[in-house]
Amino acid sequence: MNNNIKTPKKLIEVALPLDAINVAAAREKSIRHGHPSTLHLWWARRPLAAARAVIFAQMVNDPGYQQGGGFRYGVNKEKAQAERERLFKIIEDLVQWENTNNEEVLERARAEIRRSWREVCELNKGHPQAAELFNPDKLPAFHDPFAGGGALPLEAQRLGLESYASDLNPVAVTINKAMIEIPPRFAGRAPVGPRVPDDKQGKLTEDWSGPKGLAEDVRRYGAWMRTEAEKRIGHLYPQVEITAEIVKERPDLKPLLGEKLTVIAWLWARTVKSPNPAFSHVDVPLASTFILSSKAGKESYVQPVVEGGKYRFTVKVGEPPEEAKEGTKAAGRGANFRCVLSDTPIGGDYIKAEGQAGRMGERLMAIAAEGARGRIYLAPTQEHEDAALQAQPSWKPSGDVPARLTGGTCVPYGLSEWGDLFTPRQLVALTTFSDLVGETISKVKADALAAGMADDGRSLDEGGSGATAYAQAIGVYVAFAISRTADRGSTICSWDSSPKMEALRNTFGRQAIPMTWDFAEGNPFSESSGNWMFNIEWGVKAVQLFPARAGGSVVQQDAQTQTTSKNKLVSTDPPYYDNIGYADLSDFFYVWLRRSLKPIYPSLFATLAVPKAEELVAASYRHGSKEQAESFFLDGMTEALHNLARQAHPAFPVTIYYAFKQSETKDLAGTSSTGWETFLEAVLKAGFALTGTWPMRTELGNRMIGSGTNALASSIILVCRQRPTDAPTVSRREFIRELNATLPEALDEMTRGGVNSPVAPVDLSQAIIGPGMAIFSQYATVLEADGTPMNVRTALQLINRFLAEDDFDHDTQFCLHWFEQQGWATGKYGDADVLARAKGTSVGGLQASGVVDSSKGELRLLKWAEMPRDWQPEKDVRLPVWEALHQLIRALNQDGEFGAGALLARMPARAEPIRALAYRLYTLCERKGWAEEARAYNELVTAWSAIEQAAGEAGVLGSQAQLDI
């Protein structure tokens, strides 16, 4: 039906200013004020910069495919490239955080989108579906069927498109409603709430354009909620008075004698009964550290004081002793502690048993208070312990904490229900604010009516735009502040003693709910981290920057069956295989949002927990085995993508963010495959043809290093078009001939411009896959010489061979190109991850090969001197030429020509590839001026005849009877 539609290539199918996009996307991770991520936490949210750039380039025609109304360059390549550079400049301006709401920049982008759309409509004005598909006066709408954190629908709306979002997860749906559905409905309205006394922020502006009035009311009613909550539960959060008794032990506090300080946080250690029979009646602390502040010159730490069969905590200032850093933690990993009274070991199994039996408690270690010049740390007092014990929650959330999470879970230690993650005082605070949401909605409605706002009687869920719906909208945003309060107000929150922080860590420092032994309980009425008004203000600043233009609609739908994508532009960021259990994690927020928002969205919050059975995540514990989980994911994802291929607007490609962390698996035949290849197979099986693959850096390097793991650092943007149902079949020879005819021109476009080329060298191997796979995927099948269908892995190998101009194995191709970019220096894991995918391997596979070292977000090639001396090539099941070469160099340096010859004799089939690689590397080092690196390869090449002779003397070189490794 759509085969006769004329679809000019889009910019994203030809070229992108990747460097500019990557720099902006990485920088955005360090920006918080006004960023949508501060409205409500969501895992693995895509950067706005990348989303904006991708959607723009997805809609704008590439200049090279407009000459003379055709789809080729014509004769004027220079003009086409000049036009492309102009579009690049728009993207470079568009991705800057400072231009997020710069109307001049945004309007330039919107104008280009409209111009391209009119060109497409003109080309298709005679199409039988022109009235339905090609209205030049109305841009197609946008849809993201895996909307998640909402970055893509938000940026589509910012670019002037009517934006639709859907997700199975009700938390994600609510976040998207707050971002793209609610703000346009109430844009341009003045706030109705009474101005906050002494509110400096409110006096700065009377500009209520866009969502600014809505944001201001969130601030005003958030302040009212704080006042009301403090009236009700403020007594549970007493100030701490600096008494003469305190000064006697802490002379440094004498200037503060008599003052009452606001507490920022109470610092607790979990406790269990001592396993030592002599002290089995005593609850002893499980503290991972006693350090409170590590700021130079202002160090503070907790010191336990043992008095007979008892102990107490005091706080010391000054350089802490070494043992303070480990608290009561014993040597080794895991939950291993020691009894503070007897030094008896406390093992993990004992702690788990105590926790599961409900015998784990907590003991106040220290108090962190607000001082005029920074934090002041004080020893615990009876008054403050008693205040915490007064709290008697009337409600707590039920439901199971997920027992299996990739990053760890606290369930084995007895924290098995959501309510177990909070102290009684935290529960009282959260339920108090939650109860106030309903009261706030009633107050907002009354104030709105008094201010003259009309009321259509319809709720927010029914599409209302009057006083009733407006009041509920404010309720949504203040409920989000409760989510932020829960994230900073659980017993999973620890105290960050680093010099720049000295603050609460939030619950979700990573995508897990790990056990914490010493935790920090914040004060919602303080002026420091995690307090209620901070949580309100974070949301206010985000709402202020929402575009609040065009239309926005959000629904809860399964991507496999949704029909929202029909004739819409689609860009989406699907789930990441088994990396993140969104449904499991989001229950943490769902239980609190449901309590506040079920009256507003009754169907969205109808279930007791987030739906999980249909979630497209490969969770083996749900599906019985890893194999069944993988099958569930791939079948479901293929169906979801097939659903997109059927429905998406035929004039545009679909863009899909691929962000799975690489791993390798083996099938029953022992063939190795990466997740990247598997996902590509699913995309092709769904009926898509690929027309582009672009690597985008989406994480800061310091996040990977700080987490101590090789965290995912890049997304690959897959650009896809629906493959015609009557696509032909071709032979391997025809496929290679077409690669040879097409890739040189594509490579020229990607590298045009010298050092300022749009595609950096580190990204070229991945980017060139786009035009290569465009050829492969346009056919129903590419047949091998024996008549069997060519698989994706082979196609990638042929594409890479064109770029690499060699026939080396995948691991060696990676090493060769990494060495060309990095030498022996350490590089970023994210860059290695991108290159490994492009070369048909993975970082895990490279580590298994013994050619790289990778940890803490970094990777480097192993030098020959680091290769193991006891290496046995005939037993090495994964032997890249790179490893064989450097082992041979090691043998030459350590054992001379005879030793190198003896080693070569054990891998005769590797002789010629080793020599070819040595020449290749010597030439490379010479070209780059790496004299020291060149020397090793030169020595091997120079000694090659002697090494071969020594191998021959061993009597095996060239023998056909030897194992071809």
Side-chain angles (χ1 to χ4, degrees):
M1 178 178 65
N2 295 327
N3 287 351
N4 60 340
I5 286 176
K6 298 176 181 177
T7 57
K9 278 201 173 186
K10 299 300 180 181
L11 184 64
I12 199 168
E13 296 176 289
V14 179
L16 283 177
L18 275 182
D19 284 351
I21 298 169
N22 286 338
V23 168
R27 178 183 169 227
E28 189 182 310
K29 289 290 181 176
S30 63
I31 293 170
R32 286 293 172 262
H33 291 278
H35 197 280
S37 61
T38 64
L39 179 70
H40 197 290
L41 186 146
W42 189 257
W43 302 270
R45 192 189 302 259
R46 294 303 99 202
L48 307 187
R52 244 187 332 269
V54 166
I55 293 169
F56 173 81
Q58 191 177 349
M59 298 197 75
V60 172
N61 300 333
D62 179 71
Y65 291 81
Q66 299 170 31
Q67 307 300 315
F71 309 115
R72 295 289 177 187
Y73 284 120
V75 296
N76 200 339
K77 288 188 178 183
E78 290 75 17
K79 182 179 178 182
Q81 184 60 22
E83 273 294 287
R84 201 172 284 133
E85 293 293 342
R86 187 181 65 81
L87 294 176
F88 281 4
K89 182 62 171 69
I90 292 175
I91 293 176
E92 288 164 6
D93 291 340
L94 197 62
V95 297
Q96 298 305 311
W97 171 255
E98 291 76 11
N99 291 335
T100 301
N101 276 348
N102 184 324
E103 276 302 309
E104 185 275 326
V105 171
L106 290 168
E107 189 50 40
R108 270 194 285 140
R110 295 173 193 140
E112 288 297 332
I113 290 171
R114 291 192 295 267
R115 183 165 74 89
S116 286
W117 175 239
R118 287 193 295 269
E119 290 174 354
V120 173
C121 291
E122 179 65 22
L123 286 170
N124 291 281
K125 61 184 179 182
H127 192 274
Q129 288 181 286
E132 177 187 356
L133 295 176
F134 299 105
N135 180 353
D137 299 320
K138 182 176 174 58
L139 289 170
F142 171 90
H143 180 227
D144 179 358
F146 293 102
L152 278 58
L154 182 73
E155 294 314 305
Q157 190 178 66
R158 203 184 306 276
L159 288 172
L161 307 183
E162 187 178 355
S163 191
Y164 289 77
S166 59
D167 203 289
L168 186 63
N169 192 306
V171 176
V173 171
T174 311
I175 293 171
N176 277 269
K177 283 180 177 291
M179 290 169 63
I180 68 167
E181 188 176 278
I182 295 174
R185 202 181 298 180
F186 303 105
R189 299 192 186 187
V192 301
R195 195 183 294 276
V196 179
D198 301 321
D199 179 22
K200 296 177 183 178
Q201 285 291 120
K203 294 176 183 177
L204 290 177
T205 179
E206 290 296 333
D207 172 15
W208 307 124
S209 62
K212 293 175 184 173
L214 177 70
E216 177 60 20
D217 264 343
V218 175
R219 175 187 289 120
R220 294 181 183 184
Y221 289 103
W224 178 81
M225 290 176 71
R226 183 197 187 281
T227 301
E228 288 299 309
E230 192 165 21
K231 289 177 185 175
R232 303 175 191 188
I233 62 172
H235 62 282
L236 297 177
Y237 297 89
Q239 292 182 308
V240 59
E241 183 177 355
I242 307 301
T243 63
E245 184 180 356
I246 291 175
V247 169
K248 183 178 179 181
E249 191 166 324
R250 287 276 303 280
D252 60 297
L253 298 177
K254 187 173 183 180
L256 299 176
L257 181 62
E259 287 192 30
K260 290 187 175 181
L261 306 179
T262 299
V263 175
I264 296 168
W266 290 268
L267 309 181
W268 301 83
R270 298 192 197 274
T271 62
V272 293
K273 298 291 185 186
S274 172
N276 186 313
F279 303 103
S280 59
H281 60 291
V282 181
D283 295 305
V284 293
L286 309 174
S288 61
T289 183
F290 285 138
I291 303 297
L292 302 173
S293 171
S294 57
K295 186 179 294 185
K298 295 187 176 180
E299 296 92 345
S300 296
Y301 61 97
V302 171
Q303 184 177 75
V305 179
V306 176
E307 298 169 333
K310 299 180 180 179
Y311 68 95
R312 61 183 175 86
F313 291 119
T314 186
V315 169
K316 299 290 185 179
V317 294
E319 186 73 27
E322 193 63 30
E323 59 267 20
K325 295 177 183 177
E326 299 299 326
T328 60
K329 199 86 168 61
R333 296 183 53 141
N336 296 300
F337 293 84
R338 55 183 178 78
C339 172
V340 74
L341 298 176
S342 64
D343 214 33
T344 302
I346 308 175
D349 290 342
Y350 176 81
I351 296 170
K352 288 175 184 177
E354 290 295 286
Q356 290 169 11
R359 292 191 291 268
M360 188 178 286
E362 56 267 338
R363 176 86 175 259
L364 186 60
M365 288 197 304
I367 299 169
E370 293 175 348
R373 296 183 180 179
R375 309 286 190 249
I376 294 174
Y377 299 95
L378 303 163
T381 69
Q382 191 61 49
E383 176 195 1
H384 283 258
E385 294 223 28
D386 291 344
L389 294 173
Q390 287 179 39
Q392 298 294 323
S394 58
W395 182 88
K396 71 175 185 177
S398 58
D400 294 335
V401 175
R404 301 185 189 181
L405 286 170
T406 302
T409 178
C410 56
V411 170
Y413 300 96
L415 306 185
S416 57
E417 291 200 0
W418 294 114
D420 298 335
L421 303 186
F422 305 92
T423 68
R425 182 162 53 184
Q426 287 172 331
L427 288 170
V428 167
L430 287 165
T431 53
T432 299
F433 282 112
S434 182
D435 291 340
L436 280 165
V437 172
E439 295 179 39
T440 299
I441 291 171
S442 298
K443 181 171 175 56
V444 176
K445 182 177 179 179
D447 290 345
L449 292 170
M453 186 183 291
D455 192 14
D456 54 17
R458 290 187 299 158
S459 69
L460 194 63
D461 198 27
E462 294 167 335
S465 58
T468 297
Y470 184 74
Q472 292 177 338
I474 300 299
V476 169
Y477 293 113
V478 296
F480 279 11
I482 295 171
S483 285
R484 285 190 60 91
T485 302
D487 187 35
R488 293 268 177 183
S490 79
T491 64
I492 305 302
C493 300
S494 56
W495 184 254
D496 187 341
S497 62
S498 62
K500 291 185 178 180
M501 295 300 295
E502 291 190 72
L504 285 162
R505 293 187 181 94
N506 61 323
T507 299
F508 289 104
R510 62 180 190 264
Q511 295 135 4
I513 306 175
M515 188 62 179
T516 51
W517 303 109
D518 38 281
F519 63 90
E521 180 187 12
N523 181 356
F525 306 114
S526 72
E527 298 296 325
S528 191
S529 62
N531 79 76
W532 173 256
M533 282 311 295
F534 269 27
N535 295 330
I536 287 288
E537 286 293 341
W538 283 113
V540 167
K541 289 171 182 173
V543 175
Q544 286 173 337
L545 292 182
F546 289 153
R549 57 176 295 127
S553 178
V554 188
V555 293
Q556 183 182 27
Q557 284 182 332
D558 188 334
Q560 297 177 71
T561 57
Q562 59 83 19
T563 56
T564 306
S565 291
K566 185 174 176 58
N567 293 334
K568 292 182 178 65
L569 175 81
V570 174
S571 183
T572 192
D573 181 23
Y576 302 161
Y577 190 59
D578 62 351
N579 285 9
I580 304 171
Y582 298 94
D584 286 333
L585 293 172
S586 58
D587 269 342
F588 177 89
F589 297 113
Y590 181 84
V591 293
W592 293 106
L593 289 172
R594 185 174 188 268
R595 192 171 192 269
S596 303
L597 300 184
K598 188 181 178 184
I600 299 176
Y601 296 117
S603 59
L604 191 58
F605 290 96
T607 57
L608 291 175
V610 170
K612 297 178 180 63
E614 303 90 348
E615 184 188 32
L616 279 180
V617 173
S620 56
Y621 63 89
R622 285 187 201 160
H623 301 286
S625 69
K626 186 175 181 179
E627 292 72 24
Q628 287 176 309
E630 181 173 342
S631 176
F632 168 82
F633 173 80
L634 289 175
D635 290 347
M637 187 58 67
T638 300
E639 180 56 37
L641 295 175
H642 186 50
N643 197 24
L644 288 185
R646 285 196 304 262
Q647 297 187 70
H649 198 294
F652 303 96
V654 169
T655 54
I656 302 169
Y657 290 73
Y658 171 91
F660 306 147
K661 189 172 179 179
Q662 278 299 84
S663 61
E664 292 194 19
T665 58
K666 288 192 176 182
D667 60 23
L668 293 176
T671 303
S672 178
S673 175
T674 66
W676 165 233
E677 295 158 15
T678 304
F679 190 76
L680 281 181
E681 291 275 15
V683 170
L684 302 188
K685 187 178 177 182
F688 276 124
L690 265 67
T691 58
T693 58
W694 300 102
M696 288 192 181
R697 231 68 61 206
T698 54
E699 300 286 350
L700 284 175
N702 61 4
R703 190 192 76 78
M704 296 183 293
I705 294 169
S707 67
T709 61
N710 286 327
L712 188 67
S714 297
S715 295
I716 307 300
I717 310 298
L718 303 178
V719 187
C720 314
R721 286 190 184 266
Q722 186 173 5
R723 184 171 55 248
T725 54
D726 58 352
T729 294
V730 296
S731 69
R732 176 188 177 104
R733 179 175 295 180
E734 290 171 303
F735 172 53
I736 293 174
R737 185 185 304 127
E738 200 166 346
L739 284 181
N740 291 336
T742 304
L743 292 190
E745 186 175 354
L747 187 62
D748 181 60
E749 291 299 331
M750 290 178 180
T751 57
R752 189 185 298 270
V755 295
N756 296 316
S757 64
V759 180
V762 69
D763 294 326
L764 193 58
S765 293
Q766 179 62 57
I768 199 66
I769 287 175
M773 288 302 297
I775 298 168
F776 178 75
S777 60
Q778 70 180 318
Y779 297 113
T781 310
V782 174
L783 294 177
E784 296 280 15
D786 63 358
T788 59
M790 180 183 290
N791 58 32
V792 166
R793 187 177 183 87
T794 302
L796 289 173
Q797 185 177 17
L798 291 171
I799 295 166
N800 273 310
R801 183 179 298 172
F802 166 83
L803 184 65
E805 298 179 347
D806 58 47
D807 290 318
F808 294 127
D809 56 87
H810 298 292
D811 291 350
T812 298
Q813 286 189 37
F814 170 91
C815 294
L816 182 57
H817 284 264
W818 185 262
F819 184 71
E820 185 173 9
Q821 296 159 21
Q822 301 283 349
W824 300 116
T826 297
K828 294 179 180 178
Y829 177 89
D831 291 346
D833 183 53
V834 169
L835 184 61
R837 298 182 206 203
K839 296 303 178 188
T841 184
S842 70
V843 174
L846 291 159
Q847 288 176 294
S849 291
V851 293
V852 302
D853 177 65
S854 177
S855 64
K856 297 186 177 180
E858 297 179 331
L859 179 140
R860 66 179 180 86
L861 295 171
L862 293 173
K863 296 180 180 180
W864 63 261
E866 298 177 276
M867 299 285 181
R869 191 183 181 94
D870 59 353
W871 180 64
Q872 300 181 58
E874 61 274 12
K875 294 184 179 180
D876 194 334
V877 296
R878 182 169 180 150
L879 202 172
V881 176
W882 183 275
E883 182 184 22
L885 166 64
H886 290 86
Q887 281 284 4
L888 202 61
I889 292 173
R890 176 199 59 74
L892 178 64
N893 279 270
Q894 294 177 351
D895 304 316
E897 294 172 354
F898 185 81
L903 183 62
L904 183 61
R906 297 164 66 185
M907 47 180 180
R910 291 285 190 252
E912 186 52 37
I914 288 172
R915 191 169 71 92
L917 182 59
Y919 270 108
R920 176 80 176 265
L921 288 169
Y922 174 71
T923 304
L924 171 63
C925 293
E926 282 275 284
R927 191 177 77 242
K928 287 183 170 285
W930 296 347
E932 182 60 29
E933 286 77 6
R935 183 182 62 81
Y937 304 115
N938 184 51
E939 288 177 352
L940 184 72
V941 170
T942 303
W944 190 257
S945 296
I947 294 172
E948 279 192 318
Q949 183 177 351
E953 289 172 2
V956 290
L957 183 59
S959 171
Q960 295 302 309
Q962 295 305 305
L963 179 65
D964 184 355
I965 298 175

